[in-house]
Each structure stands twice: as structure tokens, then as C-alpha cells.
Amino acid sequence: MPLDTRELFARLIECEAGGEGEDGMRAVATVIMNRANIDYGEFARVSDGGNVRNIITQPGQFTCMRETVGGSYNRQNVYNMNPTEIHYEIVDWALSGGKLPGVDDSLFFMNPFSSTCPANFPTRVGVLHNRIGNHCFYYPTDYYAKT
């Protein structure tokens, strides 16, 4: 049975940021909603007017949406997640317009597995804005605007 958007979003939050605490999960949810609501560039076309599910399921965006990575089974995928009430609360908060201060209009995040964040998102589409927990958050660049 296919997952509805709320369930998929909750599973993605748990998978991508479940170990980052409430602020870390809210930060990731904010990025997803920023992508759904931006009015230019690639994410504007993908979201087709704010469709969150289109953003979540866009190929190549979230490792947790892939069942295989590098030819091997990815155990950390949304289908193996069991979200709890906090994940649904965060999704409901994000869907109703909540934004975590400090993430602002960031469109990208990554865990660099390092104590420092790279100045630019690897594909030149983002410039470092902030770090929350283990994730680095990036504002869109002019390069992103042309995507």
C-alpha cells in the first residue's frame, strides 16, 4: 500500500534527521517545505505549485528514499522507519507553515561527517548559511536560480 504524503514525510524526517534532536528534525522539515514553496529554479518546477510529495520523491535528492545505494541494500530507507508522535508533530508543524529560525530560506543540507561545513554545497547550488547539529544548511546561489 502506498504511503500518504504525511506518512512519507514523517518517515523521511525520522530517517534523515532522527538522531539530530527536535531542532535537527525541524530544520530538515523546513528545507523540504522551502523546496516545495520556492518560486524559481528546479524545485519550483518539481513541486509544481507546492506539491510536497513531488519534492520528497524527486530522484537523487534523499538517500533515505533509495532502497539501494552503490549497488547494496540501503537499510536506512523510509520503508524501514517507524515514526513516532514527534515525527508527525514536526510534519504537521511544517505543513502548517512552521519554519525553524536559523534555517531560514535554505534549500540544501548535508552531513559532512566532519566538524566543519564546506563553504559551498557540492554542486555549486548552495552557499553555507548555518550548521544545526551534524547538518550543514545552504542558501541557494545564482547557479541554483539557473537550474
Side-chain angles (χ1 to χ4, degrees):
M1 176 173 95
L3 304 171
D4 68 24
T5 300
R6 182 175 182 254
E7 176 76 14
L8 188 62
F9 197 170
R11 287 172 180 245
L12 184 64
I13 295 302
E14 179 186 13
C15 188
E16 290 285 342
E20 295 293 313
E22 193 170 325
D23 279 352
M25 292 186 287
R26 287 183 189 276
V28 168
T30 298
V31 166
I32 292 166
M33 294 307 298
N34 286 347
R35 289 181 179 192
N37 294 317
I38 195 164
D39 61 1
Y40 64 92
E42 174 186 6
F43 298 129
R45 286 188 304 283
V46 169
S47 77
D48 193 27
N51 187 318
V52 175
R53 186 178 196 87
N54 287 358
I55 294 298
I56 291 171
T57 60
Q58 181 185 7
Q61 296 300 307
F62 300 106
T63 303
C64 287
M65 289 301 296
R66 296 192 244 161
E67 290 188 75
T68 59
V69 174
S72 298
Y73 180 67
N74 176 24
R75 292 181 186 170
Q76 180 125 353
N77 71 65
V78 294
Y79 305 104
N80 291 336
M81 297 294 111
N82 294 303
T84 63
E85 189 59 34
I86 189 63
H87 303 107
Y88 294 107
E89 287 174 10
I90 290 169
V91 167
D92 293 341
W93 166 84
L95 290 171
S96 67
K99 283 182 102 166
L100 186 72
V103 178
D104 307 306
D105 295 323
S106 295
L107 292 182
F108 310 96
F109 67 90
M110 64 180 274
N111 181 340
F113 299 99
S114 167
S115 60
T116 59
C117 295
N120 295 293
F121 197 73
T123 55
R124 299 183 337 189
V125 293
V127 62
L128 182 63
H129 170 59
N130 200 358
R131 183 178 185 128
I132 297 174
N134 290 321
H135 286 105
C136 305
F137 292 84
Y138 295 83
Y139 277 147
T141 61
D142 289 339
Y143 184 78
Y144 164 78
K146 297 172 186 172
T147 61

